[in-house]
Structures are given as structure tokens and as C-alpha cells.
């Protein structure tokens, strides 16, 4: 009888902040890198070293984009998820504390238990069009709010 060395699938959770990336290989202690070009390169190197089956990142509204591009170039399996799903998952586990390191750990655990599929990265032009449409939508909403406000203003 031969015993095969089967590696367990590994999920990494990443909490993306404005200035810092917190990465957690569940259940290990999270490690932090700066959220700049140098830090992202270090994070990708760290990720490649651990060979995760999935890297789970919350959609933070653009802060995660440089990391996603770097991971895509390195051919790493990134799953972009809705932050509400992770919050609900944490609530179900009765986790009320909220720190960047704890968030990274919860995101990694979410990846282990829910096993989301990798998210394909949009082509650069398609991403630009998507960003411009979102901007247009926000401007139209602001325009409507201002028109409504002007209608009720005393003259």
C-alpha cells in the first residue's frame, strides 16, 4: 500500500486597505504588505510560494484593482467576492470583532468553506468602459438630486 502525498487545497484571504494588504493562509497568523507597487510585488511572491488553490478578495471599490492585475499576470486563482457575503458569513460564525487581520482570516475561512470560483479579470478596455459607465451613473444621480433640491429651494 503506497501513501500519496496529497496537498490539501489552500485558501488565502486578503483584506485590502488603502495603505495595507493583510493576507491570511487560514488558520495561520496574517501577514501584512503595503498596498503599493513594491508591497503588491512582495505579496504576489508570497502567494506564489504558498501555491493557493484560491485567493479570496473582497470587492472594495477599486482599491483591490492593482493587486488583481498583478495576480492575473502571475496566473494566480483570484476570487472577487461581495463584502456583504463575508459579513454575513462572519455573523453566522458569531464573529463580532472587526480588525484587518481578523477580516483576512474570516475571508480565508470563507474561501475554505464556500470555495468560490475564480473571477476572470476584465480586459483593460472593458474595465475602463465599466468604470466610465459607473461614473456616468453617479453623475446622473447627483444631477437628479440637485434638480430636486433646486425645485424646493425658496427663491
Amino acid at each position: 500500500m503506497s501513501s500519496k502525498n496529497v496537498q490539501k487545497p489552500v485558501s488565502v484571504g486578503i483584506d485590502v486597505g488603502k495603505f495595507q494588504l493583510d493576507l491570511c493562509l487560514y488558520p495561520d497568523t496574517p501577514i501584512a504588505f503595503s498596498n503599493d507597487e513594491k508591497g503588491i510585488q512582495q505579496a504576489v511572491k508570497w502567494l506564489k510560494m504558498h501555491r493557493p488553490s484560491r485567493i479570496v478578495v473582497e470587492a472594495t471599490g477599486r482599491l483591490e484593482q492593482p493587486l488583481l492585475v498583478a495576480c492575473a499576470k502571475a496566473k494566480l486563482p483570484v476570487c472577487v467576492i461581495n463584502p456583504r457575503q463575508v459579513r454575513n458569513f462572519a455573523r453566522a460564525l458569531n464573529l463580532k470583532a472587526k480588525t484587518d487581520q481578523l477580516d483576512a482570516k474570516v475571508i480565508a475561512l470563507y474561501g475554505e468553506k464556500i470555495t468560490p470560483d475564480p473571477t476572470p479579470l476584465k480586459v483593460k478596455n472593458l474595465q475602463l468602459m465599466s468604470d466610465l459607465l459607473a461614473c456616468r451613473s453617479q453623475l446622473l444621480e447627483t444631477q437628479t438630486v440637485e434638480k430636486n433640491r433646486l425645485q424646493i429651494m425658496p427663491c
Side-chain angles (χ1 to χ4, degrees), residues 3-153:
S3 63
K4 292 184 179 180
N5 215 0
V6 178
Q7 184 179 353
K8 182 183 177 222
V10 176
S11 289
V12 172
I14 302 179
D15 182 68
V16 179
K18 191 172 188 175
F19 302 108
Q20 183 171 301
L21 303 169
D22 289 285
L23 285 72
C24 182
L25 186 71
Y26 190 82
D28 297 344
T29 303
I31 182 171
F33 297 98
S34 59
N35 192 2
D36 57 20
E37 191 175 328
K38 183 180 178 189
I40 290 171
Q41 288 174 356
Q42 292 170 337
V44 168
K45 185 177 178 182
W46 184 88
L47 289 165
K48 287 173 94 173
M49 184 177 72
H50 288 89
R51 291 183 273 175
S53 55
R54 80 189 49 80
I55 300 162
V56 184
V57 179
E58 289 180 317
T60 61
R62 314 311 300 157
L63 290 177
E64 75 281 3
Q65 285 304 311
L67 174 68
L68 295 178
V69 169
C71 287
K73 285 181 182 176
K75 299 192 183 333
L76 292 167
V78 180
C79 310
V80 181
I81 55 169
N82 186 325
R84 186 180 309 127
Q85 292 173 309
V86 176
R87 263 194 313 273
N88 291 341
F89 181 76
R91 271 193 218 119
L93 297 174
N94 202 27
L95 297 172
K96 293 181 174 94
K98 185 145 175 49
T99 66
D100 293 341
Q101 289 188 344
L102 183 59
D103 285 350
K105 207 169 205 174
V106 169
I107 294 167
L109 180 59
Y110 177 92
E112 287 283 319
K113 300 298 182 189
I114 306 300
T115 63
D117 293 327
T119 306
L121 191 61
K122 291 182 180 176
V123 177
K124 191 173 185 174
N125 286 340
L126 188 58
Q127 183 65 53
L128 179 60
M129 283 177 47
S130 177
D131 292 345
L132 289 171
L133 285 171
C135 185
R136 179 184 182 276
S137 177
Q138 291 168 356
L139 288 170
L140 287 174
E141 186 177 320
T142 301
Q143 180 185 32
T144 302
V145 168
E146 290 303 315
K147 280 182 178 179
N148 291 339
R149 185 177 65 83
L150 284 172
Q151 287 178 354
I152 61 170
M153 291 288 294

